[in-house]
């Protein structure tokens, strides 16, 4: 029962994170392009601030639940007298998931900080450049997230 609960929380956090990136990239960004840079960038800053706060927690939940599920399975396997060999899809998921967390850390703690400073100073070209970098890295993370989902559903 605990494994199922952990898996549910894990998957819900992934859905929130990957779904939010898809929404931002494919729907929010194109919709605000018609706005003037100061309005657009302030709006995107407010949205990203909220989203990145949620993703910070979601990424920690994904990491903790993933490690817990792997550890629990390894422990039960070893206690049953068997050798634990992590399945390939789990290895791929865990490795790419850690890459996603590292990329998110760069987005949140480097690029978003730069974006925040530029918006606060009303330096719209710098804010636009920072937002473009954020968008590029979010797209990379979105692609990795989709790849993880594909790998786990096709191999699992």
């Amino acid at each position: 029962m605990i494994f199922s609960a952990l898996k549910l929380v894990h998957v819900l956090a992934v859905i929130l994170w990957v779904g939010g990136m898809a929404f931002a990239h494919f729907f929010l960004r194109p919709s605000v392009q018609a706005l003037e840079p100061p309005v657009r960038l302030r709006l995107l800053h407010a949205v990203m601030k909220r989203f990145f706060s949620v993703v910070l927690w979601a990424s920690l939940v994904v990491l903790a639940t993933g490690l817990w599920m792997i550890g629990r399975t390894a422990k039960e396997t070893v206690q049953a007298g068997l050798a634990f060999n992590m399945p390939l899809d789990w290895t791929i998921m865990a490795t790419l998931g850690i890459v996603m967390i590292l990329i998110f850390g760069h987005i949140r703690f480097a690029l978003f900080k730069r974006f925040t400073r530029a918006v606060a100073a009303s330096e719209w070209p710098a804010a636009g450049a920072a937002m473009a970098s954020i968008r590029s890295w979010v797209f990379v993370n979105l692609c990795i997230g989709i790849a993880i989902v594909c790998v786990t559903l096709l191999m699992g």
Side-chain angles (χ1 to χ4, degrees):
M1 176 67 176
I2 191 134
F3 190 88
S4 295
L6 288 170
K7 191 173 183 178
L8 174 65
V9 170
H10 185 84
V11 170
L12 289 175
V14 168
I15 290 169
L16 178 68
W17 187 1
V18 175
M21 289 188 296
F23 170 78
H25 192 78
F26 294 113
F27 303 100
L28 177 63
R29 184 186 155 276
S31 297
V32 299
Q33 286 302 96
L35 300 174
E36 293 297 316
V39 174
R40 178 178 67 246
L41 294 166
R42 282 189 187 111
L43 173 64
L44 289 173
H45 183 267
V47 170
M48 294 298 121
K49 182 178 178 182
R50 286 173 181 81
F51 180 61
F52 291 158
S53 293
V54 170
V55 171
L56 180 60
W57 285 105
S59 66
L60 295 175
V61 166
V62 168
L63 181 62
T65 56
L67 290 173
W68 194 335
M69 287 186 290
I70 291 168
R72 183 176 175 97
T73 301
K75 180 181 174 185
E76 289 173 356
T77 303
V78 170
Q79 286 175 339
L82 303 169
F84 176 69
N85 295 312
M86 195 154 88
L88 179 59
D89 59 325
W90 288 18
T91 303
I92 293 169
M93 179 179 14
T95 303
L96 291 178
I98 290 169
V99 169
M100 285 183 69
I101 291 169
L102 292 172
I103 290 171
F104 171 69
H106 174 64
I107 293 168
R108 173 61 187 89
F109 298 109
L111 300 177
F112 187 68
K113 190 175 186 178
R114 187 179 316 149
F115 181 51
T116 298
R117 281 194 307 264
V119 169
S122 299
E123 295 172 357
W124 305 121
M131 190 63 226
S133 293
I134 290 169
R135 181 179 18 122
S136 296
W137 282 108
V138 166
F139 184 69
V140 169
N141 250 5
L142 175 60
C143 291
I144 295 170
I146 291 169
I148 292 170
V149 170
C150 292
V151 164
T152 55
L153 290 177
L154 295 175
M155 292 179 72

